[in-house]
Each structure stands twice: as structure tokens, then as C-alpha cells.
Amino acid sequence: TQLLEQSPQFLSIQEGENLTVYCNSSSVFSSLQWYRQEPGEGPVLLVTVVTGGEVKKLKRLTFQFGDARKDSSLHITAAQPGDTGLYLCAGEDSNTGKLIFGQGTTLQVKP
Amino acid sequence: GAGVSQSPSNKVTEKGKDVELRCDPISGHTALYWYRQSLGQGLEFLIYFQGNSAPDKSGLPSDRFSAERTGGSVSTLTIQRTQQEDSAVYLCASSLKGLVGYTFGSGTRLTVV
């Protein structure tokens, strides 16, 4: 069974601080996706990383895919209250295309 | 449509009743997924439809749960004899094979009382 361990599960920080969320697995995925979800809404795709070692930047967010394509990280620089939400990583099974989700990281950025 | 549409957005039902949840995927998307999410938690895979292939039902928690997809488009998730532990948000997503990334609906919040 493929599992994705996401950490930390909850993070409360002050505006302006930096943070990193980790997503780890013993399985290899064909891609790893990061989603952000706000209350009452479905998750929204932020980024997809496909190549081992790949780094993608989205404004203050930096996403990295591990060399072995088993893990990923999300780093947010100078967090803002608007970054508050549930962040989910999801690995794509290379055979079926099915997405396996981590348990999520609830981020609260206080002004 | 422009996005994935789910109905109803909220459903309160009595324990033991059957419920049907509907998902209208993005037109042309060949893949459709159902997930379940408890409060503040990650997504639990339920079932996956891809084109004309047999659905992957490996995530359905019991035989009270079933889903169908008619004409390769609309999908219905049915829960029979609902239990309180079935209370959760049920999310539907669709995607186009060959392109990464799912588009999710806003979900149906099911409360079993």
C-alpha cells in the first residue's frame, strides 16, 4: 500500500516567518502534486513536479521533488495571512494514475 | 461546464437511510474520482473511473457504498443504510488522461444523525 506521510500536521506562525512542509513516502511516484484547500471548498492544484530533483517556484512558494521521486517539500518565504489553509501533497501512481494524498498540513498565519 | 459541479452541497440524513451524491465532471475529462474527507484531514480515496475501463473500487469502505458513471460523464455515489461514521465531505474530481492535476468540486457535506 502506498502511503504519504506529511509533516507537520499543524503549523501556527507569525506573518513574515518562513516555513517548510514535508511529504515523504517509501514509494516512487510518477509525479507529486501540491494542493491548497480553503474551508468549504475543494483542493486547488498549486504545482506538479515530475522530474527527480526538480524545483519549482510560485511567487513565495518553492516546491522540490526528491531525487528518487519519493519525497517532496514545500517552502513558504515570508508567510502572509492569506497563505492560511490546508496544504495537501499527493503522489500519482505511475500505473493507474490514481492520486494518493497525505494527511495534510493545516497552516495558520497570524497577522 | 467550466468546473466540477457537485450536488447537493449539504445533506443531512437519518441513520439507516440511503443517500445519493451527484458529480458533474468537466466536459471531456475521461477520469473521475471520488474521495472522502473528514474535518481538517487528508483525502481518502474511494473509487476511480477512467474511460471505459473497469472502475477501481479498492477504496470503498464497505458494500454499502457504490458508484456508477453513466455515459462517461455524470457520476453518482450511493451510500445505503447510512451510519454516523459516514459523516464527512465527499469530494469529486476529474482529469484528462495525459495531463496532470485534478480539478475538484466543492464537495457534498454529509451529516448522518
Side-chain angles (χ1 to χ4, degrees), chain B residues 16-28:
Chain B
K17 301 273 187 169
D18 298 352
V19 295
E20 284 190 353
L21 313 180
R22 177 186 169 104
C23 173
D24 282 276
I26 291 175
S27 178

Side-chain angles (χ1 to χ4, degrees), chain B:
Chain B
V4 177
S5 178
Q6 288 188 247
S7 60
S9 55
N10 281 285
K11 176 73 176 178
V12 180
T13 189
E14 292 181 351
K15 179 181 172 181
K17 301 273 187 169
D18 298 352
V19 295
E20 284 190 353
L21 313 180
R22 177 186 169 104
C23 173
D24 282 276
I26 291 175
S27 178
H29 277 195
T30 54
L32 186 148
Y33 314 81
W34 283 97
Y35 285 86
R36 179 168 71 173
Q37 185 177 34
S38 299
L39 187 62
Q41 298 296 309
L43 277 63
E44 176 190 4
F45 168 77
L46 297 177
I47 188 168
Y48 163 44
F49 297 90
Q50 174 59 268
N52 294 321
S53 302
D56 177 349
K57 303 179 181 181
S58 60
L60 294 178
S62 78
D63 58 8
R64 296 186 295 106
F65 288 72
S66 63
E68 63 177 20
R69 188 178 185 191
T70 53
S73 181
V74 172
S75 177
T76 302
L77 176 68
T78 301
I79 308 174
Q80 295 179 310
R81 305 181 302 282
T82 52
Q83 303 294 314
Q84 287 185 329
E85 61 262 29
D86 299 334
S87 296
V89 175
Y90 290 81
L91 289 160
C92 174
S94 69
S95 72
L96 189 60
K97 190 174 175 66
L99 296 179
V100 294
Y102 293 12
T103 301
F104 280 87
S106 295
T108 294
R109 179 174 297 278
L110 176 66
T111 304
V112 182
V113 297

Side-chain angles (χ1 to χ4, degrees), chain A residues 31 33 35 45 48 50 92, chain B residues 95-96 98-102:
Chain A
S31 74
Q33 303 170 23
Y35 291 80
L45 180 67
T48 301
V50 178
E92 183 177 19
Chain B
S95 72
L96 189 60
L99 296 179
V100 294
Y102 293 12

Side-chain angles (χ1 to χ4, degrees), chain A residues 34-65:
Chain A
W34 286 92
Y35 291 80
R36 180 168 171 266
Q37 185 179 22
E38 297 194 41
E41 299 294 327
V44 175
L45 180 67
L46 294 175
V47 79
T48 301
V49 283
V50 178
T51 306
E54 182 176 3
V55 176
K56 281 192 174 179
K57 292 192 175 183
L58 187 65
K59 297 184 181 179
R60 294 176 292 101
L61 278 61
T62 302
F63 304 85
Q64 185 164 7
F65 202 11

Side-chain angles (χ1 to χ4, degrees), chain A residues 3 7 20 32 35 39 47 50 62 83-84 87:
Chain A
L3 290 173
S7 63
T20 302
L32 205 137
Y35 291 80
V47 79
V50 178
T62 302
D83 295 328
T84 294
Y87 289 82

Side-chain angles (χ1 to χ4, degrees), chain A residues 8-107:
Chain A
Q9 290 189 335
F10 184 79
L11 197 53
S12 180
I13 61 173
Q14 292 294 133
E15 181 177 2
E17 292 184 2
N18 303 331
L19 67 117
T20 302
V21 177
Y22 299 94
C23 185
N24 296 295
S25 176
S26 58
S27 302
V28 176
F29 295 103
S30 58
S31 74
L32 205 137
Q33 303 170 23
W34 286 92
Y35 291 80
R36 180 168 171 266
Q37 185 179 22
E38 297 194 41
E41 299 294 327
V44 175
L45 180 67
L46 294 175
V47 79
T48 301
V49 283
V50 178
T51 306
E54 182 176 3
V55 176
K56 281 192 174 179
K57 292 192 175 183
L58 187 65
K59 297 184 181 179
R60 294 176 292 101
L61 278 61
T62 302
F63 304 85
Q64 185 164 7
F65 202 11
D67 291 341
R69 305 206 325 269
K70 293 181 179 180
D71 53 83
S72 181
S73 64
L74 157 61
H75 182 79
I76 301 179
T77 303
Q80 299 177 359
D83 295 328
T84 294
L86 178 66
Y87 289 82
L88 296 155
C89 67
E92 183 177 19
D93 182 284
S94 57
N95 293 320
T96 64
K98 189 167 71 178
L99 275 189
I100 308 298
F101 279 83
Q103 289 304 300
T105 295
T106 299
L107 172 64

